[in-house]
Amino acid sequence: MKDALRLEWQLFQLAMRFLTCLPVARDVDGSDDLRVRANKYFPLVGALVGAAGAGVFWLACLWLPQSAALILSLAATLLITGAFHEEGLANAAEGLCRGAGRVQVLEMMVHPGLGLFGALAVALTLALKLVLLAHMPVIFAGVALVLGHMIGMMAVVHVIATTPYAHSNGLQVAAPYITGDGYRFALACAVLILLAGSMLFGPWPTLFILLGSIVLGQAFRSAMMRKMGGYNSDCLGAVMQLGELGAYLGLAVWF
């Protein structure tokens, strides 16, 4: 039992190391097998990042207007993740909007530079998040941050499990992968966190959160499949961001 718990803690730390800039033990084994198995903790790490953002938000609301508190919350989550997913969104938007075909799209994502489409995608996504959350009651906005980050990471796990990886020509990169057991574990974590959130929101608002995330995430997945025939690491960052944004849009529609 001790060895099993130690292994799970190691897998969780690997997921934390991959998705955040938070310090983890330096002696954590990062073998390919363990990295694959660590993917099941992505939704849980997402929920923790969202919880950190919610904590900053609620604390800042004691002294600042809600909109200012949300900006500080956003800054905190960007520091925690190193803007990892926002960078992926920018690269994916640049490639998908400017690339004429699969090869060109992938090349632009590998060497994107700072382009207009990428900058607009990130700016509009962040602005929409702030506006939507600013018009929610303070307690609801904080819980929405937790659920939004978690659902965004569950969307990443789902894409990894169900979508082919689009390799660049001449560049053989190990594709992300998750086992069947890992996917079921991630899904169970996501369902439990959603059920906890439904204790505050109620079942219907929680359903709208889920539907909003699915609709926006699937819309991006359709564009990605049409242009690339699969996904790459940048697309996963975009999936996370749009899955999170979709959750807030769904909740805003309900309100």
Side-chain angles (χ1 to χ4, degrees):
M1 175 64 77
K2 245 186 206 183
D3 289 340
L5 290 175
R6 189 179 296 111
L7 174 61
E8 294 304 316
W9 174 240
Q10 184 177 2
L11 295 176
F12 175 74
Q13 288 186 94
L14 279 174
M16 287 283 288
R17 186 166 70 184
F18 183 73
L19 295 174
T20 75
C21 299
L22 298 175
V24 298
R26 294 183 179 180
D27 59 347
V28 174
D29 182 8
S31 67
D32 291 341
D33 175 63
L34 290 179
R35 281 200 298 270
V36 166
R37 295 167 69 183
N39 291 344
K40 67 181 182 179
Y41 282 108
F42 279 11
L44 185 56
V45 173
L48 290 176
V49 172
V56 171
F57 168 64
W58 283 326
L59 187 62
C61 277
L62 297 176
W63 297 282
L64 298 172
Q66 184 169 341
S67 55
L70 283 168
I71 292 174
L72 290 178
S73 170
L74 174 62
T77 56
L78 289 175
L79 286 173
I80 291 172
T81 62
F84 182 51
H85 302 106
E86 288 77 7
E87 181 183 12
L89 172 61
N91 294 346
E94 199 65 30
L96 291 171
C97 291
R98 293 179 58 206
R102 177 182 175 277
V103 173
Q104 192 176 29
V105 168
L106 289 169
E107 286 177 352
M108 286 183 175
M109 289 186 189
V110 174
H111 307 288
L114 181 59
L116 174 63
F117 292 108
L120 285 174
V122 173
L124 290 173
T125 298
L126 295 181
L128 272 172
K129 289 181 187 179
L130 292 174
V131 170
L132 292 169
L133 291 168
H135 286 80
M136 296 180 192
V138 170
I139 186 66
F140 283 5
V143 176
L145 281 167
V146 179
L147 297 183
H149 280 79
M150 182 278 296
I151 289 175
M153 289 312 307
M154 184 62 222
V156 169
V157 171
H158 181 71
V159 167
I160 291 173
T162 61
T163 311
Y165 188 81
H167 285 284
S168 299
N169 289 343
L171 184 62
Q172 295 302 315
V173 179
Y177 179 73
I178 187 165
T179 64
D181 287 343
Y183 180 81
R184 287 187 286 273
F185 179 89
L187 186 61
C189 288
V191 169
L192 287 174
I193 294 170
L194 278 173
L195 287 175
S198 71
M199 296 176 67
L200 172 68
F201 290 126
W204 286 108
T206 305
L207 179 61
F208 271 72
I209 288 174
L210 185 59
L211 289 177
S213 179
I214 291 172
V215 169
L216 196 56
Q218 286 298 318
F220 175 77
R221 185 179 182 276
S222 296
M224 179 181 74
M225 292 298 293
R226 186 172 62 253
K227 279 253 183 159
M228 299 170 55
Y231 74 94
N232 65 0
S233 57
D234 287 322
C235 290
L236 292 181
V239 165
M240 188 276 157
Q241 287 291 295
L242 296 177
E244 180 192 351
L245 175 60
Y248 305 152
L249 284 168
L251 187 57
V253 167
W254 173 262
F255 282 138

